[in-house]
């Protein structure tokens, strides 16, 4: 089977890595090509992950870069179409919910190339999120849907997706976490020393509703300033958030509120493992903290990963200054809850995906 994998933005790399790794253990069955759309292009948002996750260099980088959502989606489509036509793969594998995911799926659906979507079925039910639109549309037109949790299956069935397309395989992001945990742990002593860390709150924020409006961003940074009087805060700042802080002329001059560049995968995982608390608006970090049993506050009105609340350590929090400060105190007082890992978040999701592809291959020979 000729498989063309697509990655575009930071959260894609840790999802495709275990799938490619597992397929490369079966060279008799799979020929693989990796294409990077170039949605993320900085060393710290992209290159470092290839090295740390041991991903092969992409055969091709489409070099799309940043722009409005429509521009970015359209540009990926224009540049991706000739690549699929040239390689004519049996399957295109897309992951997650970024603009590149939808753009490449759309291209394939128009020219009759089959698409498998890894991390299908997640829904926030909030259509103001560009990622929700990407998820809904990708899942409607993809041919094979690999879900990380049971709620994903239920969402897809409710949307009329045929049952035979849906496969509950577990969470590929956790495959990467499980594999690289020892390496991340080994980095902790030097990281701890370099950053002079004791107890700390780890923060990431990049969603448009938190960072694109001056008042919203200011309110969150005010809360962080207040919290930093009690606990050191490490805030690796996404390029989008960095731009906004600069644009809005916001000053942050608290001694223990550290605005840093984004970390690579291993250092960030080491920081999550040792954080007293995490505050985020990312999807993947809600899952990683649940797996690790680290308390997490999610600065969003909803989540497409309800299992992290139901079973895990996650709690949604309003983004007013008072709500954030109160939630910080409450969550810290609760301490570490008992660790509850969702079913099939066991480090073997990619193996299950590969078995399904192999079955499909066998069936296509039989018919
Ligand atoms: C994208 C994804 C989001 C994911 C996030 C992880 C969509 C709709 N959103 O959001 O789901 O959680 O990536 O990071 O696809 N920038 C750089 N360097 C880079 C990449 C981006 O400076 O390497 C800046 C650009 O100025 C750009 C801004 O960040 O305008 C936003 O980048 P973009 O990829 O459009 O969206 P994200 O906010 O990163």
């Amino acid at each position: 089977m000729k498989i063309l994998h697509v990655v575009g933005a930071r959260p894609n790399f840790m999802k495709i890595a275990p799938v490619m790794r597992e397929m490369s253990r079966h060279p008799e069955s799979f020929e693989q090509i990796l294409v990077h759309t170039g949605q993320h292009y900085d060393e710290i948002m992209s290159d470092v992950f290839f090295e740390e996750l041991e991903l092969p260099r992409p055969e091709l980088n489409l070099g799309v870069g940043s722009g409005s959502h429509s521009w970015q989606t359209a540009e990926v489509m224009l540049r991706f179409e000739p690549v699929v036509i040239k390689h004519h793969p049996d399957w295109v594998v897309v992951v997650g919910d970024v603009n590149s995911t939808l753009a490449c799926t759309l291209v394939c659906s128009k020219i009759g190339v089959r698409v498998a979507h890894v991390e299908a079925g997640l829904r926030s039910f909030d259509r103001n999120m560009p990622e929700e639109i990407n998820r809904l549309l990708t899942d409607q037109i993809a041919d094979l849907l690999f879900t990380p949790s049971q709620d994903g299956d239920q969402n897809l069935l409710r949307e009329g997706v045929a049952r035979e397309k849906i496969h509950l395989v577990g969470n590929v992001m956790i495959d990467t976490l499980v594999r690289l945990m020892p390496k991340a742990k080994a980095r902790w002593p030097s990281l701890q020393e370099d950053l002079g860390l004791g107890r700390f709150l780890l923060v990431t924020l990049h969603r448009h509703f938190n960072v694109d409006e001056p008042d919203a961003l200011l309110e969150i940074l005010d809360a962080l300033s207040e919290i930093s009087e009690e606990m050191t805060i490490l805030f690796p700042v996404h390029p989008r958030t960095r731009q906004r802080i600069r644009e809005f002329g916001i000053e942050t001059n608290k001694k223990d509120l550290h605005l840093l560049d984004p970390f690579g995968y291993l250092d960030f995982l080491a920081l999550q493992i040792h954080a007293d608390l995490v505050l985020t608006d990312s999807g993947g970090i809600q899952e990683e903290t649940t797996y690790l049993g680290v308390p997490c506050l999610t600065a969003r009105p909803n989540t497409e990963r309800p299992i992290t609340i139901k079973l895990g350590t996650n709690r949604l929090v309003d983004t007013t200054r008072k709500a954030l400060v109160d939630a910080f105190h409450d969550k810290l007082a609760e301490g570490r809850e008992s660790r509850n890992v969702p079913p099939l978040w066991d480090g073997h999701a990619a193996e299950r995906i590969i078995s399904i592809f192999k079955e499909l291959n066998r069936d296509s020979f039989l018919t």
Side-chain angles (χ1 to χ4, degrees), residues 11 39-42 45 66 98-99 131 206 238-240 243:
Q39 178 174 343
H40 283 177
Y41 42 86
D42 285 345
M45 296 299 285
S66 305
V98 302
N99 288 338
E131 292 82 2
H206 72 279
H238 188 285
R240 172 191 192 130
Q243 272 173 24

Side-chain angles (χ1 to χ4, degrees), residues 229-258:
E229 309 254 330
E230 289 176 58
M231 187 181 272
T232 299
I233 300 182
L234 283 197
F235 183 4
V237 186
H238 188 285
R240 172 191 192 130
T241 311
R242 177 77 72 187
Q243 272 173 24
R244 298 294 178 257
I245 293 176
R246 211 178 296 131
E247 242 172 79
F248 303 152
I250 301 174
E251 302 276 337
T252 47
N253 48 15
K254 287 280 180 178
K255 181 168 91 11
D256 281 323
L257 172 54
H258 303 281

